[in-house]
Each structure stands twice: as C-alpha cells, then as structure tokens.
Amino acid sequence: MSKTSSKNILTILGTEVPLGTSTTINFNIAKLYTSTKVEIPIIIERSNTAGPTILITAGIHGDEINGVEIVRQIIAKKINKPVKGSIICIPVLNVFGFLNMDRFFPDGRDLNRVFPGSKNGSLASRFAYQFITEILPVADFCLDFHTGGGSRFNAPHIRVDPSNQKLITLAKVFNAPFTLLSKNLKGSYRAICAKKEIDILLFEGGKSQSNSKEIAKEGVLGTMRILQHFEMLHPDFEILLPEKDSLVVSKSSWLRAKHSGLLHIKTCIGNYVEKGEALASITDPYGKMRHLEKAPNNGYIINVNESPIVYKGDAIFRISNELLYE
Ligand SMILES: [Zn+2]
C-alpha cells in the first residue's frame, strides 16, 4: 500500500474526486431494451486526510442478495466514512442480474469469469473491461461479497489464494469464522486483482436469493476489523473482540448424494462432525427408501445444500479435511 495514498485527487470514470468529498457517481453501462437507463451507483467517501483507498463490492452475481445487504449496512451505518483515506462502495455490480434475481448478465455470462473483459466484447465483457480500466486502478485493497450459489448455504468465510501469505494474514484480521484457502479461478475478479497486485479478500456467506442477519453481521464486523487495521475506522465504532480466531481450512471436499430423493438435513452449518456421524437422510416420496449420508471424515461443515430435493451426485455438504495451524 499504496499507490493512491499520496494522491489528493481520485479519478473514477473521468470524474475527479478531491479529498474530503462525499459523492455518488453513476456507472452507465447499457440501457434496458425499454430504453430505461441502468445506473450503477458508486458511493465514494473521502477523508480530508490522505490514505489507502478501499473498494467494497457486492452483487457481481445478481442473485447474491446477502452480499448486497452487507454493503448496504456498511453505508447505512456510516462505516464507510473513513478518518483517513477513501472508501468506495458499489453494493450492486450486476444490476441486470439483481433486477431478475439472476446470477448472470443478460448475455448469459458469469461476470466473475470474464475478467479482464474486452472493449468490444459481450455486455459482461465490456462491463468487466470498463470496471478494471476505470474503477479498479484507484483501489489499494478490495473486499468483494458473495454467497453460495443456488440453494447451497455457505458458512461465513474468506477465500484467499494459498500462495499469498499477506492475504492469509489479512483474512485473519477480517476474522470470519472460517478462512478457505482456494486458488483463483481463471477470469475471476480475484485473479485480475492478483495480476494487478491489488490485495483482495472475497467473502462468502449464506446462499443466493436469501438474506441472513447472522451472515450480514459477520460481513460488517469483518469489514470494520479491516478498516481498523488500516487505521481508517471512525473511533465511534466499537469492535467486539472475536470469540475465537478464524479457522483456516487448507483442504475441503464435497459430500455428494448417493441417491436421488427428498433431503433431510440433520446437522447445522459450522458444526464440527465426526467420521461416521449421520449428517442427512435421503428418502423417496413413497415411504419405501431411507438412506443415511454419513460424514466421511472429521471436520467442519462449511456448506450445506438447503434444497429439499436432490439428485444422486448433487453436492450436499462441504466438509473441511485439513486445517492450517501456525
Ligand atoms: Zn458469487
């Protein structure tokens, strides 16, 4: 940190934002087919004192409402007014998906797989390109909020690349209940940040098309811890000391359904389970079949499929295999 700390002017989408400014810039990407304008508000808060620039985003996947709620709370509670540096919040990146409660862009693309995008590509690709050329360069540090896809409920966790020790340390500062070491996917926001040497923490918690107060609380508290770490958090905010340190999961695997049928979950997200413990049962609708799904190893439940029905082979639980202790 930091390439922008010394700069008094921050330029976003061609607009100059001086120190001590509180403003919203609209990112216009494409109209709806009804000619209705689609605006993506970028909420910028700059202290009078120069310092790092933190970019906080959610809704890369339009149906991941819990992430949007976390950024909303950060703004509504004025946590985004720093005593030093700048905080940029974009609560809904994929407004098109958000309107339809859909993960994807209208072109069917996953925004989180098309980075760095291209100037003349499909809509998602153009969006990615503009985002990384006109917004991302001002950031010293990024926080990006997600949920599990479909009906899969994630325990609150931060994802970082296992080869980046600095990010593992920052994930411990955020202190979500879990930290998952996972490699960056090609075309993802994390991958482009790594390429541009911008630190990023990706938060996962809850499931799509859903909102959980507990998940939002973890996301907001973690953000406050990060802001305090960078000496940007207003002293009016009190941070409770975490009850325990984030558990760093270096390996995890999916337990997949051995049968198709109705799914009955017998455990809770975040629980520690022992090998052989019954975690769920799968039944047919006719009262003839009942199959128990048992834990293949000791570990923590970091994802639960909350769908009431599953097919054979569907992921039901993600369970930690190995924890990293230092
Ligand atoms: Zn996501």
Side-chain angles (χ1 to χ4, degrees):
M1 235 166 198
S2 101
K3 52 188 176 295
T4 50
S5 304
S6 54
K7 282 190 192 166
N8 290 345
I9 300 282
L10 207 110
T11 306
I12 291 185
L13 294 162
T15 303
E16 290 190 346
V17 186
L19 281 176
T21 307
S22 167
T23 189
T24 297
I25 294 174
N26 284 313
F27 184 7
N28 301 295
I29 182 77
K31 287 180 178 174
L32 299 180
Y33 355 86
T34 50
S35 300
T36 306
K37 260 210 240 170
V38 174
E39 291 187 329
I40 298 164
I42 302 172
I43 297 135
I44 305 164
E45 293 288 346
R46 300 202 72 197
S47 159
N48 284 316
T49 313
T53 299
I54 314 266
L55 175 59
I56 303 176
T57 51
I60 275 191
H61 296 129
D63 61 349
E64 296 183 357
I65 316 302
N66 227 150
V68 175
E69 168 61 11
I70 291 168
V71 186
R72 183 198 72 80
Q73 286 193 21
I74 290 166
I75 300 165
K77 293 176 177 173
K78 300 187 168 53
I79 296 164
N80 65 327
K81 289 183 179 286
V83 287
K84 182 173 108 179
S86 312
I87 300 177
I88 302 169
C89 290
I90 313 179
V92 189
L93 268 177
N94 177 4
V95 167
F96 303 97
F98 189 69
L99 287 168
N100 303 320
M101 289 268 268
D102 187 7
R103 177 181 179 88
F104 302 105
F105 253 64
D107 57 7
R109 308 283 167 94
D110 182 336
L111 178 61
N112 211 21
R113 299 290 181 274
V114 300
F115 287 102
S118 68
K119 203 175 179 178
N120 301 311
S122 72
L123 184 58
S125 188
R126 285 174 194 227
F127 181 92
Y129 178 82
Q130 253 197 295
F131 177 79
I132 69 156
T133 50
E134 301 197 45
I135 300 168
L136 186 61
V138 302
D140 297 302
F141 177 80
C142 300
L143 271 172
D144 188 33
F145 291 92
H146 288 256
T147 75
S151 52
R152 291 182 189 91
F153 193 104
N154 268 321
H157 69 264
I158 290 288
R159 280 190 195 175
V160 284
D161 191 279
S163 64
N164 192 329
Q165 190 53 51
K166 187 181 173 196
L167 287 185
I168 298 174
T169 305
L170 284 167
K172 287 179 177 172
V173 171
F174 190 101
N175 208 68
F178 297 94
T179 298
L180 252 70
L181 304 185
S182 76
K183 286 189 179 152
N184 295 339
L185 294 172
K186 194 169 177 279
S188 67
Y189 181 33
R190 274 209 291 157
I192 196 71
C193 285
K195 198 175 166 208
K196 293 184 177 293
E197 294 180 345
I198 298 172
D199 295 332
I200 179 169
L201 293 183
L202 181 146
F203 175 91
E204 283 273 352
K207 62 177 181 179
S208 66
Q209 303 196 357
S210 185
N211 220 345
S212 149
K213 270 190 182 170
E214 288 71 32
I215 294 294
K217 193 175 164 196
E218 290 292 346
V220 172
L221 271 175
T223 303
M224 284 165 68
R225 290 185 198 113
I226 287 287
L227 294 177
Q228 191 177 50
H229 173 78
F230 291 131
E231 299 170 345
M232 294 168 73
L233 186 70
H234 197 281
D236 282 356
F237 291 103
E238 236 183 280
I239 303 189
L240 299 171
L241 283 173
E243 282 166 25
K244 58 179 199 171
D245 290 342
S246 186
L247 289 164
V248 182
V249 177
S250 49
K251 266 190 193 162
S252 61
S253 52
W254 286 102
L255 170 64
R256 294 184 178 275
K258 291 184 188 65
H259 295 274
S260 302
L262 306 176
L263 177 64
H264 316 271
I265 302 291
K266 296 177 179 298
T267 186
C268 288
I269 192 77
N271 272 4
Y272 182 78
V273 297
E274 292 191 340
K275 186 178 176 177
E277 195 176 322
L279 303 181
S281 63
I282 297 176
T283 61
D284 65 15
Y286 316 112
K288 301 271 187 206
M289 184 274 283
R290 184 169 181 270
H291 167 79
L292 278 182
E293 293 286 356
K294 294 178 180 170
N297 56 276
N298 293 359
Y300 289 92
I301 305 283
I302 46 185
N303 185 288
V304 174
N305 189 342
E306 294 189 342
S307 172
I309 44 172
V310 284
Y311 273 110
K312 181 178 180 175
D314 280 355
I316 317 178
F317 297 105
R318 189 171 187 158
I319 306 172
S320 67
N321 299 118
E322 224 175 78
L323 297 181
L324 190 76
Y325 294 103
E326 286 169 343

